[in-house]
């Protein structure tokens, strides 16, 4: 939908500087923040804090064990009655052993927290590397855009490569994110 002619004319009369304005820089704060946020969202970081909290809460869950044993004829008793009848009795036993054990020490510290801390440290390193890579690619695009017309043809391949890598990192095209001409 096109704006009415009066609005376009008023814009030309009252804001002539807007017509001469350069498009936003690839290294402007908003562009860097948005592209970095998209790249980080696409990277799919694992949240370790909820896992550590869950590991600690697992101390309240009991470990239950049940053992059943049957002792057949371990003790045999033979007795004689007054009428000369022999009697044999076997001592059979059924043993039930039910144990409930809580690991309350896990409420303070769970051994899996060490592994989760390593994962988090590795993620912070990868995050810093990803942010650096995004900024370097945006700087390449800005450098190519700032070249003169003679040098622009030679930098076109470099710009296309940087743009393709950025689109790969964020998982979508750059066309809809920024003004045309970028």
């Amino acid at each position: 939908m096109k704006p009415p002619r009066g609005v376009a004319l008023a814009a030309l009369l009252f804001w002539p500087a807007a017509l001469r304005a350069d498009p936003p820089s690839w290294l402007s704060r908003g562009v860097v923040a948005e592209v970095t946020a998209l790249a980080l969202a696409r990277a799919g970081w694992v949240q370790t804090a909820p896992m550590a909290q869950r590991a600690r809460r697992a101390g309240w869950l009991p470990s239950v064990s049940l053992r059943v044993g049957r002792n057949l004829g371990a003790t045999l008793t033979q007795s004689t009655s007054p009428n000369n009848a022999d009697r044999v009795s076997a001592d059979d036993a059924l043993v039930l052993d039910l144990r409930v054990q809580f690991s309350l020490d896990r409420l303070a510290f769970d051994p899996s927290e060490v592994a989760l801390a390593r994962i988090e440290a590795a993620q912070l390193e990868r995050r810093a590397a990803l942010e650096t890579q995004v900024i370097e690619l945006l700087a390449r695009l800005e450098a190519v855009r700032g070249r003169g017309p003679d040098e622009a043809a030679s930098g076109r391949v470099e710009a296309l490569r940087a743009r393709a890598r950025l689109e790969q990192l964020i998982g979508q095209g750059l066309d809809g994110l920024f003004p045309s001409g970028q």
Side-chain angles (χ1 to χ4, degrees), residues 147-166:
R147 293 180 185 170
D150 298 334
E151 299 171 339
S154 64
R156 180 140 175 82
V157 173
E158 181 184 349
L160 289 174
R161 186 175 293 147
R163 186 180 181 101
R165 181 66 182 130
L166 273 172

Side-chain angles (χ1 to χ4, degrees), residues 17-140:
L19 295 175
R20 295 187 308 267
D22 290 335
S25 169
W26 282 109
L27 295 174
S28 68
R29 184 175 299 171
V31 173
V32 171
E34 188 171 353
V35 173
T36 303
L38 288 170
L40 291 174
R42 176 143 167 98
W45 305 112
V46 176
Q47 298 293 324
T48 57
M51 286 191 279
Q53 190 177 37
R54 199 165 96 191
R56 281 189 181 184
R57 288 183 183 164
W60 288 111
L61 293 174
S63 173
V64 180
S65 66
L66 175 65
R67 290 188 319 166
V68 178
R70 185 170 176 199
N71 192 3
L72 295 175
T75 305
L76 290 174
T77 308
Q78 186 175 3
S79 60
T80 306
S81 63
N83 59 1
N84 286 336
D86 286 338
R87 211 171 217 199
V88 178
S89 65
D91 186 17
D92 293 342
L94 180 64
V95 178
L96 294 175
D97 182 17
L98 175 66
R99 294 182 187 194
V100 177
Q101 182 179 2
F102 290 91
S103 299
L104 297 179
D105 59 335
R106 289 177 63 185
L107 296 176
F109 176 76
D110 188 81
S112 63
E113 288 184 65
V114 175
L116 291 173
R118 284 189 193 124
I119 291 171
E120 189 171 355
Q123 282 185 349
L124 287 174
E125 288 178 16
R126 287 194 327 231
R127 179 186 176 126
L130 181 64
E131 289 172 343
T132 302
Q133 185 178 14
V134 166
I135 291 172
E136 287 175 3
L137 290 169
L138 289 172
R140 281 187 201 163

